[in-house]
Amino acid sequence: ENEPLLRSDYKARTQKELPVLMRWFPRDQLEKALGDVPKAAYLDIILYSRDQINKEREARGDTSGQDETAPWGIVSIKPTDFDYETPMQPITMMRNALGKDQGGSGVSLENSKYQEAVEFWSNHATVGE
């Protein structure tokens, strides 16, 4: 019933990253169709080690944050209604498999995890602006 509201577009998180195909439900359209959009029951906090953050910044030529000493950094906060860790979105896995200079983390794509993510995200989408 909400599929007609689903949107997609090519987006980059920063100017130094390649745009990738994203899909989401626009919050304002959901509110018009369904009323209030419920708040997420949980937050999934994604952390990267300081070493990984520094490697990615260096690959992009980003000199900000060089004085940071915290051992971990928050790279994403994902609201969710699931009380378990959901699979990473397939496009995020693909982006991560890119070189660090393209906005990826350099982590190889694992076929089984990718297939699990496709199965999950074929039936789910995020809420965005």
Side-chain angles (χ1 to χ4, degrees):
E1 92 191 46
N2 58 10
E3 190 172 5
L5 303 175
L6 193 59
R7 301 291 181 262
S8 63
D9 195 7
Y10 287 91
K11 295 185 175 278
R13 298 176 295 189
T14 71
Q15 289 183 342
K16 295 188 176 195
E17 288 185 345
L18 294 172
V20 296
L21 186 62
M22 306 292 291
R23 59 185 218 136
W24 71 96
F25 289 109
R27 177 177 299 283
D28 62 338
Q29 296 297 314
L30 283 178
E31 288 171 344
K32 285 179 189 173
L34 308 173
D36 287 336
V37 175
K39 293 190 185 318
Y42 304 95
L43 295 176
D44 187 8
I45 311 297
I46 310 302
L47 304 173
Y48 276 13
S49 70
R50 177 61 45 205
D51 184 51
Q52 181 67 28
I53 292 169
N54 289 341
K55 285 177 184 175
E56 290 185 29
R57 281 185 175 149
E58 182 180 313
R60 292 190 315 266
D62 182 350
T63 58
S64 67
Q66 291 178 333
D67 297 332
E68 293 289 332
T69 59
W72 299 94
I74 297 172
V75 295
S76 181
I77 301 173
K78 300 186 321 185
T80 183
D81 286 334
F82 299 99
D83 64 353
Y84 57 89
E85 185 177 3
T86 60
M88 191 180 303
Q89 290 191 31
I91 197 63
T92 303
M93 293 177 153
M94 287 187 163
R95 185 191 321 249
N96 281 348
L98 294 172
K100 294 178 191 75
D101 60 330
Q102 299 295 322
S105 62
V107 174
S108 297
L109 191 70
E110 289 184 46
N111 189 288
S112 62
K113 289 190 181 285
Y114 184 82
Q115 295 299 337
E116 176 186 330
V118 167
E119 185 176 329
F120 179 87
W121 287 104
S122 291
N123 295 301
H124 298 88
T126 62
V127 175
E129 296 307 316

